[in-house]
Amino acid sequence: QVQLVESGGGLVQAGDSLRLSCVASANIFSTYTLAWFRQAPGKERKFVAAINWSGIPTYPSDSEKDRFTVSRDNAKNTVFLQMNSLKPEDTAVYYCAADRTFYPGTDWPLYEYWGQGTQVTVSS
């Protein structure tokens, strides 16, 4: 059984930081790319970052990679998304997703497994 469980969301003020965590089943952690997407109300699900099983990160071309960093802890089957200098426009549900590919895609339909999401709300 595949499970992805996100945590770490919450209500913060603009300029604050948050670290999201996604614990993945051991049966996929070492052979799947794990990614973060976010979806704001009324908007499409958007790619935020991904990291493959070799630890190579991928960010979108118009990325927030100066503010967002993806990493993984293999001993804990956990992927993290460190978000700094948060802005109100970062408010969204953040999802963890898994795809069995070494080269991550940025389109959400490519991903096979999804977590339940964690809400991040940034107040101004």
Side-chain angles (χ1 to χ4, degrees), residues 44-120:
E44 281 192 15
R45 194 164 294 192
K46 182 180 176 184
F47 176 73
V48 176
I51 189 164
N52 66 16
W53 58 84
S54 291
I56 300 171
T58 299
Y59 299 95
S61 56
D62 60 346
S63 73
E64 302 282 5
K65 62 182 174 182
D66 290 342
R67 298 192 298 123
F68 292 0
T69 303
V70 63
S71 61
R72 60 192 289 151
D73 183 335
N74 292 336
K76 297 181 179 179
N77 291 348
T78 302
V79 173
F80 302 102
L81 182 68
Q82 177 68 43
M83 304 187 294
N84 298 326
S85 303
L86 283 162
K87 305 174 182 178
E89 51 264 44
D90 295 319
T91 295
V93 177
Y94 284 72
Y95 295 93
C96 181
D99 184 32
R100 191 171 186 148
T101 177
F102 189 75
Y103 301 103
T106 60
D107 295 328
W108 68 265
L110 297 173
Y111 286 78
E112 185 174 359
Y113 299 107
W114 290 85
Q116 82 288 353
T118 186
Q119 176 71 47
V120 172

Side-chain angles (χ1 to χ4, degrees), residues 2-75:
V2 174
Q3 281 193 317
L4 299 170
V5 181
E6 304 99 331
S7 62
L11 172 62
V12 297
Q13 293 187 332
D16 286 350
S17 297
L18 274 177
R19 188 175 79 158
L20 305 183
S21 301
C22 172
V23 180
S25 305
N27 59 336
I28 69 166
F29 191 79
S30 60
T31 56
Y32 277 66
T33 280
L34 293 170
W36 290 97
F37 287 78
R38 67 184 183 183
Q39 189 166 21
K43 295 191 176 180
E44 281 192 15
R45 194 164 294 192
K46 182 180 176 184
F47 176 73
V48 176
I51 189 164
N52 66 16
W53 58 84
S54 291
I56 300 171
T58 299
Y59 299 95
S61 56
D62 60 346
S63 73
E64 302 282 5
K65 62 182 174 182
D66 290 342
R67 298 192 298 123
F68 292 0
T69 303
V70 63
S71 61
R72 60 192 289 151
D73 183 335
N74 292 336

